[in-house]
Amino acid sequence: MTTQQAPPRTRPGGEGPPAGAEHETPPRTVADRRRVRLRRAARAMNPAAAPRAGVRAVQRWQAFRVRQRELLDESNRLQSELWAQIHAGAPASDGDVPAPGARTRAAGSTEGGTSRPPALWASPFSIGFTGALGVLLAWLLVQNLTRLSSVLTYLLVAVFLTLALNPLVEWLTRRGVSRPSSVFVVFMGFVTVVAVSAVTLLPGVVAQAVSLVERAPQTVEGLATSPWLVELDQRYAVSERATTELDRLLTERGTWTTVFGGVLGAAGWVAGSLVGLLTSAILTLYLLATLPSVKEGAYRLVPASRRPGVVRLAEEIMRRVGGYALGQATVATINAVCSWLMMQVLGIPYAAILAVSVGLLGLIPLIGATLGAIIVALSALTVSPTLALVVLIYYVIYQQLENYWIVPRIMQRTVSVPGAVTVVAVLAGGTLLGVLGALIAIPVAAGLLLIYEEVLVPRQEAH
């Protein structure tokens, strides 16, 4: 009778006999079964015999750890680069980011690659101390600039005169004259014109001023006997109130102190003005002679990539400022000459001093010509009201001719500033720097408008 053997056991899933089954015989006794269990336990403790699922799980965990480490290094690198770009002032660039996982140490990174803010931001005390130090430095700068206001004024006048005379120097240079010779000819011509004008007009102005002072009592008496002033005095007692106020002022001690202080102050102002004119003239000569080298040195401070655009804008601004200065001086001179001829024809007294006043006031934009017309009309009023009316009519006609024919032909290549911007610029310049600020307000506004049109608007349109 044959015995039937049991089939060999297979692994779960039907993958065949277990490992080592071909070398083992089925256990027959208890001792055999014990030896089989011991051998299986030994195989289970060996890592090489671990199940496949466990091996794959360990491999996946190791790959996950590697990816996490790479992502952490990439995050630390980007944060370090951001800190470096913020403190260097450079714009962020997306095209310079290397491949993920690349380790890049930037400024402010620690040993482990994590970013670290600068020490300045580590303490509130440091922030407060730095802010207080900046405020103190700003206050000291403002105080020093206030003390240097007169020097800055002379320098500003010299720069304005340099830009006004430089087109004449360049005109001579383009015709073959050397730069030093052109500067000498233009500057000596400017000094000659000023000197001849002063020698020609100053004696007449001084004589008319002395005559005006000597005839002041007679003029006042004549005005007091005029019918319209007599009627006004009868209604409102103007002469009695004026006499009472004059007596009060003469009896007060502070009046004489103010008068003598005003005289000394006027003498000091005249002396300071002469020194300022001489200083401005010397600075103008130096700036005219060294203007190309000064401009070249200033342009080198600009990065090479932006230098051509900055040079083009600066040259255009200087051209407009110089053209405006020459044009405004020409317009004021024409106004003064025409006013002098009109006063000579009508017989208005003190024509020379009034013409000089009209020419100087004509340099002030917007209101200068109107102020000159008012002064001439008041002078004509001392002769007769009819003559004053004729003067006003003349200036109304002349203003129309100047605004629509003279100015467009002289200023056509210089500045083009809207009316509202002109008014605001003149008011702001006059408030900040007085008459000088009103004189340079329009060219400065024209330069700012040029920067707006050539820089800001194209940049916004590009975005």
Side-chain angles (χ1 to χ4, degrees):
M1 181 176 181
T2 62
T3 60
Q4 186 176 0
Q5 296 181 352
R9 291 180 298 174
T10 61
R11 296 179 184 178
E15 296 180 359
E22 61 276 7
H23 302 289
E24 293 182 357
T25 58
R28 299 183 179 272
T29 62
V30 176
D32 294 339
R33 288 195 296 270
R34 185 178 300 171
R35 284 193 296 272
V36 170
R37 285 197 298 268
L38 290 176
R39 284 196 297 270
R40 289 178 180 175
R43 283 198 301 267
M45 293 177 63
N46 186 10
R52 297 181 182 179
V55 173
R56 286 195 297 268
V58 172
Q59 292 175 353
R60 285 196 299 268
W61 173 252
Q62 292 176 350
F64 173 75
R65 291 295 301 274
V66 171
R67 287 196 302 270
Q68 290 295 319
R69 183 65 180 178
E70 291 177 353
L71 292 176
L72 181 60
D73 292 342
E74 181 69 14
S75 175
N76 295 334
R77 184 189 63 79
L78 293 177
Q79 191 172 3
S80 301
E81 287 185 355
L82 181 60
W83 274 104
Q85 290 171 358
I86 289 175
H87 290 284
S93 176
D94 295 336
D96 298 335
V97 178
R103 295 198 174 191
T104 307
R105 292 188 177 270
S109 61
T110 60
E111 292 296 331
T114 57
S115 63
R116 179 177 58 190
L120 179 62
W121 300 94
S123 173
F125 175 78
S126 301
I127 298 174
F129 180 78
T130 305
L133 184 61
V135 172
L136 179 61
L137 291 177
W139 181 79
L140 291 175
L141 180 61
V142 170
Q143 293 296 321
N144 291 329
L145 289 178
T146 304
R147 295 177 182 177
L148 295 175
S149 59
S150 58
V151 178
L152 295 177
T153 301
Y154 300 153
L155 180 60
L156 189 60
V157 171
V159 170
F160 197 70
L161 290 177
T162 301
L163 295 180
L165 298 177
N166 188 58
L168 299 177
V169 174
E170 292 182 350
W171 183 78
L172 292 176
T173 304
R174 287 194 297 267
R175 278 153 181 79
V177 184
S178 62
R179 177 82 187 186
S181 302
S182 302
V183 170
F184 178 77
V185 170
V186 171
F187 185 76
M188 292 306 298
F190 173 71
V191 173
T192 302
V193 169
V194 173
V196 169
S197 301
V199 171
T200 304
L201 298 177
L202 193 59
V205 170
V206 172
Q208 291 187 3
V210 172
S211 176
L212 178 62
V213 173
E214 291 177 350
R215 294 181 56 184
Q218 300 176 4
T219 304
V220 172
E221 185 178 354
L223 287 175
T225 57
S226 60
W228 61 275
L229 190 57
V230 170
E231 183 180 358
L232 186 65
D233 187 22
Q234 291 176 356
R235 289 185 179 183
Y236 303 102
V238 176
S239 61
E240 182 180 355
R241 295 181 180 179
T243 304
T244 304
E245 187 67 21
L246 182 61
D247 292 339
R248 185 185 65 81
L249 291 175
L250 291 176
T251 55
E252 288 183 356
R253 181 180 303 178
T255 302
W256 298 104
T257 305
T258 304
V259 170
F260 285 110
V263 172
L264 295 177
W269 179 83
V270 171
S273 299
L274 293 177
V275 172
L277 289 176
L278 181 61
T279 304
S280 299
I282 295 174
L283 286 175
T284 302
L285 177 60
Y286 282 126
L287 288 177
L288 270 179
T290 60
L291 186 60
S293 60
V294 170
K295 291 193 297 185
E296 184 179 359
Y299 293 153
R300 287 185 176 180
L301 297 176
V302 183
S305 60
R306 301 180 181 179
R307 193 173 299 166
V310 172
V311 171
R312 180 175 57 83
L313 283 176
E315 293 293 337
E316 181 64 19
I317 290 174
M318 288 187 287
R319 185 192 68 80
R320 293 190 180 189
V321 171
Y324 171 80
L326 285 178
Q328 192 70 15
T330 304
V331 171
T333 303
I334 294 174
N335 189 7
V337 172
C338 293
S339 298
W340 182 79
L341 293 175
M342 179 268 297
M343 287 183 280
Q344 290 291 332
V345 171
L346 297 179
I348 298 175
Y350 317 113
I353 188 172
L354 291 176
V356 172
S357 301
V358 169
L360 294 178
L361 291 173
L363 296 174
I364 302 176
L366 298 180
I367 62 173
T370 304
L371 292 178
I374 292 174
I375 292 175
V376 176
L378 291 176
S379 178
L381 186 62
T382 61
V383 179
S384 67
T386 305
L387 191 60
L389 180 61
V390 172
V391 170
L392 290 177
I393 293 174
Y394 161 78
Y395 275 110
V396 169
I397 297 175
Y398 176 80
Q399 285 296 322
Q400 302 302 316
L401 180 66
E402 179 183 287
N403 293 335
Y404 295 101
W405 192 77
I406 297 177
V407 173
R409 281 162 175 74
I410 295 178
M411 300 287 194
Q412 60 181 354
R413 296 184 64 253
T414 56
V415 296
S416 178
V417 182
V421 177
T422 301
V423 173
V424 174
V426 171
L427 291 177
T431 303
L432 294 175
L433 298 175
V435 177
L436 180 62
L439 290 176
I440 66 174
I442 293 182
V444 170
L448 294 178
L449 283 179
L450 181 63
I451 294 175
Y452 168 78
E453 294 173 357
E454 298 292 335
V455 178
L456 296 181
V457 173
R459 182 175 297 178
Q460 296 298 325
E461 293 294 334
H463 291 291

